[in-house]
Amino acid sequence: MRPLALACLAAVLAVVAAPAARADDDGPDAQVLALRAGAWLPAGPSMAGLDPGPEGELTLGLRLLPWLGAEMGAGVARPSSAAAAVRDAAGVERTVEPRLWDVPVGGGLRAFLPVGPVELSAAAGVAVHFLSAERDVASSATTAVASEKEEDASLGGWGALAAMVKVARHTSLGVEGRFTVLRPHLFGERQRLDAFAAGLRIAQGF
């Protein structure tokens, strides 16, 4: 086997074996299962009628290096809704009240920085958002109310900051804030669903 191929194989084996080697020492846990539960907050102009609501995410992380990890997971967000006035392409004013489910599935990389008893981290990645949206539409020209329903799968990017404190050998507790950029196609047009997600984060290492 050529020296270059041997070097590449050794590097791959080192990355794969490193987490297992650290599992028995006093370093960071090789794998971490984390849960975040908090609030979904619309960022700037968003789909009319969407208000803050509950959200959460479950992720599985793998430490590649003491300061770098990879993670993947899935979440759910359920914004609350309120009636909002909008104008359609013809200029007709309508009242809409949307109901939205957002289920993101994706992953990214997370960098870690210990500062005393606190471990700070910054992460970024992408996720596919599986969206299910319904809305009631009432026109100012009539008293009839129509219901519309659409689904879409759209790719979005995200970035996050977290601060965690160990409360046990393998358990950490802290807070995380996340910003997501998302532009799904719903109800015949490109919607803006940029949002903040902020909440408590608990992580269990193993």
Side-chain angles (χ1 to χ4, degrees):
M1 188 178 292
R2 295 181 179 180
L4 180 59
L6 284 171
C8 293
L9 179 59
V12 170
L13 291 175
V15 170
V16 173
R22 289 194 298 271
D24 296 328
D25 63 18
D26 293 329
D29 293 305
Q31 294 91 24
V32 175
L33 187 66
L35 172 67
R36 186 187 71 247
W40 181 97
L41 306 168
S46 186
M47 182 189 295
L50 292 183
D51 286 337
E55 70 85 35
E57 183 183 47
L58 185 66
T59 60
L60 177 63
L62 172 67
R63 284 287 181 119
L64 305 176
L65 298 168
W67 57 271
L68 181 67
E71 62 186 39
M72 62 180 299
V76 63
R78 176 61 166 170
S80 59
S81 62
V86 299
R87 289 187 181 274
D88 60 18
V92 177
E93 185 174 291
R94 301 184 299 168
T95 299
V96 299
E97 187 171 349
R99 295 174 294 279
L100 178 72
W101 284 98
D102 178 13
V103 179
V105 178
L109 296 176
R110 185 177 293 267
F112 300 90
L113 177 63
V115 180
V118 179
E119 183 178 62
L120 304 177
S121 65
V126 296
V128 177
H129 293 252
F130 298 94
L131 299 137
S132 177
E134 299 179 57
R135 68 179 183 179
D136 298 328
V137 182
S139 173
S140 59
T142 178
T143 58
V145 177
S147 294
E148 301 174 340
K149 181 176 181 179
E150 285 201 17
E151 297 180 347
D152 189 30
S154 181
L155 185 66
W158 59 269
L161 295 174
M164 305 291 290
V165 176
K166 280 189 176 294
V167 294
R169 168 63 184 88
H170 297 284
T171 306
S172 298
L173 183 65
V175 294
E176 181 179 78
R178 178 174 298 213
F179 181 73
T180 298
V181 176
L182 183 61
R183 300 288 193 278
H185 192 272
L186 295 169
F187 305 120
E189 60 183 328
R190 189 67 64 181
Q191 303 284 352
R192 178 172 177 171
L193 285 179
D194 298 349
F196 292 102
L200 296 176
R201 188 172 191 262
I202 183 169
Q204 178 66 41
F206 57 94

